[in-house]
């Protein structure tokens, strides 16, 4: 059994910032992540090779400290008792003991169903971005990037740098909302710099505001998408090889819920409830980053720093980080308002459109149910390998449902990992 003063689940910006703050104050720190390299989705491919100097510095100092153990390709299964986590690697399982636990489990893309969304070639925007960073060949491929939020721009820039031809970026948010968000960036000069850099990378790419995907077509694989532009009566068809489509991010709260931490609703998201020190409602468990609300890398770093200081017994040193957190929380609120989902997205799915991809459950089978539990019991919606992580976000938008329980183990597990 491995023992840690502070155990961090998640090696993205929030997790690394938390581990660094705790390590700096003498704590023996463990970092668990299901990826082979540290960095999370933001610093994918390794924090030490990112253009962002903050990732490089955090990882190099943690790695060289002698007080950090990194456990890659490790998934949390369940908590056998307070202060313990049962985990699984590709070849073994183990029980980790902690005095303090910091959850920095990040977020995932929200995918919404529309006719044709299950065709090969239709992916999440961040999903295709991650694949391209891992070497997936996109040279010369025509890609439509669609959905909502700044992630579309970042994804499109990455895909273009890998040789893809970006046909268009299709943003569902209305022009006035985007203009207000742009003006609000005056309070965040670093974001203006990022926006200008992305604009340079995406020069010449059509940016279709106030528009959304109606359907995807293809004979066995994606060949084209139909989009609706508000104010334009004709449906527009775009020929493409890939559709990278994502409607913002959803906090990963399942582990926190399984550990008994309370959640709350904020900016239309289910988030882990924390106090001013990032403490959850369960003693000795903290949460930082996207799990407490989607707000970007700067907010994640500030929250992680606060959580690491508090967990290592140095809560009196958090004042500066709290100021940064307050600043970036305001940015997160502006982000949520600007890219709120439009009502038309709830009407795209037909009765034969699959909503739960794991169990092949269609919209027509679900829309008559009154809640998640009823649908789950009678249709198996949410009972597949992803355990509702994909269809849960969709059914929340379509029907207003929210999963009311977390099934253990949190991740798919070998029998031997559970009975040891």
């Amino acid at each position: 059994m491995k023992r840690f003063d502070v155990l961090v689940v998640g090696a993205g910006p929030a997790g690394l910032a938390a581990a660094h703050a705790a390590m700096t104050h003498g704590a023996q720190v463990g970092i668990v992540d299901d990826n082979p390299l540290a960095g999370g989705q933001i610093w994918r491919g390794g924090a030490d090779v990112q253009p962002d100097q903050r990732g490089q510095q955090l990882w190099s100092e943690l790695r060289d400290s002698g007080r950090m153990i990194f456990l890659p390709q490790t998934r949390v299964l369940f908590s056998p008792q307070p202060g313990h986590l049962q985990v699984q690697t590709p070849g073994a399982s183990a029980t980790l003991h902690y005095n303090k636990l910091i959850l920095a489990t990040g977020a995932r893309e929200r995918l919404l169903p529309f006719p044709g969304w299950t065709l090969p070639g239709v992916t999440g925007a961040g999903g295709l971005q991650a694949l391209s960073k891992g070497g997936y060949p996109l040279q010369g491929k025509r890609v439509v990037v669609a959905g909502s939020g700044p992630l579309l721009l970042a994804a499109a820039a990455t895909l273009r740098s890998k040789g893809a031809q970006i046909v268009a970026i299709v943003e569902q948010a209305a022009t006035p909302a985007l203009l207000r968000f742009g003006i609000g960036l005056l309070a965040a000069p670093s974001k203006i710099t990022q926006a200008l850099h992305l604009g340079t990378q995406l020069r010449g790419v059509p940016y279709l505001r106030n528009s959304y995907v109606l359907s995807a077509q293809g004979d066995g694989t994606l060949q084209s998408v139909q989009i609706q532009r508000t104010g334009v009566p004709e449906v527009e068809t775009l020929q493409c090889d890939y559709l990278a489509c994502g409607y913002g991010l959803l906090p990963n709260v399942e582990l926190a819920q399984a550990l008994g931490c309370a959640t709350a609703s904020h900016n239309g998201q289910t988030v882990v409830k924390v106090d001013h020190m990032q403490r959850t409602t369960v003693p000795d468990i903290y949460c930082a980053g996207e799990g407490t609300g989607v707000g970007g890398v700067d907010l994640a770093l500030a929250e992680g720093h606060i959580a690491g200081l508090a967990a290592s017994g140095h809560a009196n040193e958090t004042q500066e980080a709290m100021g940064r957190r307050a600043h970036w929380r305001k940015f997160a609120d502006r982000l949520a308002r600007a890219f709120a989902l439009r009502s038309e997205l709830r009407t795209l799915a037909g009765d034969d459109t699959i909503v739960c991809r794991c169990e092949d459950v269609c919209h027509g089978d679900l829309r008559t149910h009154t809640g998640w539990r009823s649908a789950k019991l009678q249709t198996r919606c949410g009972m597949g390998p992803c355990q509702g992580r994909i269809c849960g976000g969709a059914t929340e938008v379509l029907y207003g449902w929210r999963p009311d329980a977390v099934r253990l183990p949190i991740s798919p597990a070998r029998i031997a990992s559970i009975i040891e």
Side-chain angles (χ1 to χ4, degrees):
M1 181 188 296
K2 294 184 174 66
R3 297 178 178 273
F4 302 98
D5 299 323
V6 177
L7 180 62
V8 180
V9 179
L16 294 184
H20 183 270
M23 173 275 295
T24 301
H25 289 82
Q28 185 66 36
V29 177
I31 305 177
V32 171
D33 198 277
D34 59 359
N35 292 296
L37 299 171
Q41 296 303 315
I42 295 292
W43 295 330
R44 192 174 183 85
D48 55 337
V49 297
Q50 300 301 313
D52 191 333
Q53 295 294 320
R54 297 172 297 184
Q56 295 185 31
Q57 181 178 355
L58 286 171
W59 183 245
S60 64
E61 293 182 8
L62 280 165
R63 182 189 56 209
D64 299 338
S65 68
R67 294 193 296 274
M68 185 276 295
I69 296 176
F70 179 47
L71 304 172
Q73 294 183 287
T74 302
R75 293 184 173 183
V76 177
L77 302 180
F78 58 91
S79 174
Q81 58 180 295
H84 296 73
L85 288 183
Q86 188 73 14
V87 300
Q88 176 181 271
T89 68
S93 63
T95 302
L96 307 180
H97 178 269
Y98 61 85
N99 295 328
K100 306 290 183 180
L101 177 66
I102 300 176
L103 305 178
T105 47
R108 60 184 180 271
E109 279 191 279
R110 187 199 296 271
L111 306 178
L112 297 180
F114 50 82
W117 79 304
T118 57
L119 276 171
V122 180
T123 73
L128 190 58
Q129 181 188 34
L131 285 172
S132 72
K133 289 181 178 180
Y136 188 78
L138 289 172
Q139 185 71 36
K141 299 296 184 180
R142 300 165 300 170
V143 182
V144 173
V145 180
S148 196
L151 175 62
L152 301 187
L153 301 177
T158 300
L159 299 177
R160 198 181 203 192
S161 73
K162 302 299 181 180
Q165 174 192 343
I166 307 301
V167 177
I169 299 171
V170 183
E171 170 57 63
Q172 63 91 43
T175 302
L178 293 173
L179 289 174
R180 286 193 295 271
F181 180 71
I183 293 172
L185 291 182
L186 293 173
S190 63
K191 298 298 182 184
I192 295 178
T193 302
Q194 292 177 21
L196 292 174
H197 182 59
L198 286 172
T200 299
Q201 293 176 293
L202 296 169
R203 184 177 291 117
V205 175
Y207 184 70
L208 308 182
R209 301 177 295 275
N210 214 8
S211 307
Y212 53 94
V213 172
L214 288 174
S215 63
Q217 293 85 35
D219 183 13
T221 187
L222 179 69
Q223 295 170 329
S224 65
V225 298
Q226 289 188 323
I227 66 168
Q228 180 66 63
R229 304 179 66 178
T230 302
V232 178
E234 298 84 10
V235 172
E236 186 172 346
T237 300
L238 302 177
Q239 303 296 320
C240 60
D241 302 300
Y242 290 94
L243 168 62
C245 191
Y247 291 92
L249 300 173
L250 292 172
N252 290 323
V253 300
E254 289 78 14
L255 177 56
Q257 289 176 318
L259 294 171
C261 304
T263 58
S265 179
H266 180 67
N267 286 335
Q269 305 167 341
T270 298
V271 303
V272 180
K273 188 176 181 181
V274 295
D275 66 7
H276 67 293
M277 289 294 173
Q278 303 296 137
R279 289 180 293 233
T280 71
T281 55
V282 176
D284 301 326
I285 299 181
Y286 300 72
C287 186
E290 310 286 52
T292 66
V294 173
V297 62
D298 299 282
L299 178 58
L301 288 169
E303 289 189 351
H305 191 70
I306 292 169
L309 289 174
S312 59
H314 292 80
N316 60 318
E317 299 178 25
T318 59
Q319 185 173 357
E320 184 273 334
M322 285 185 173
R324 287 190 284 119
R325 181 182 64 184
H327 174 77
W328 291 113
R329 278 183 175 175
K330 292 178 182 177
F331 171 79
D333 291 340
R334 292 195 299 270
L335 188 74
R337 288 193 297 269
F339 297 100
L341 299 184
R342 63 195 307 138
S343 60
E344 292 94 330
L345 300 176
R346 300 182 177 91
T347 66
L348 300 179
D351 279 354
D352 60 347
T353 302
I354 290 175
V355 175
C356 175
R357 300 173 67 134
C358 295
E359 297 292 333
D360 290 337
V361 184
C362 294
H363 176 51
D365 301 319
L366 292 173
R367 60 183 177 82
T368 58
H369 290 278
T370 58
W372 176 263
R373 182 170 291 274
S374 169
K376 187 174 181 179
L377 290 173
Q378 298 186 51
T379 71
R380 291 188 57 82
C381 178
M383 296 183 71
C386 88
Q387 288 293 291
R389 286 170 173 80
I390 301 299
C391 62
T395 57
E396 183 178 355
V397 172
L398 295 178
Y399 321 118
W401 303 345
R402 289 186 176 175
D404 52 6
V406 176
R407 184 178 178 182
L408 299 177
I410 301 297
S411 302
R414 298 184 295 271
I415 295 298
S417 299
I418 298 174
I419 62 177
E420 283 182 359

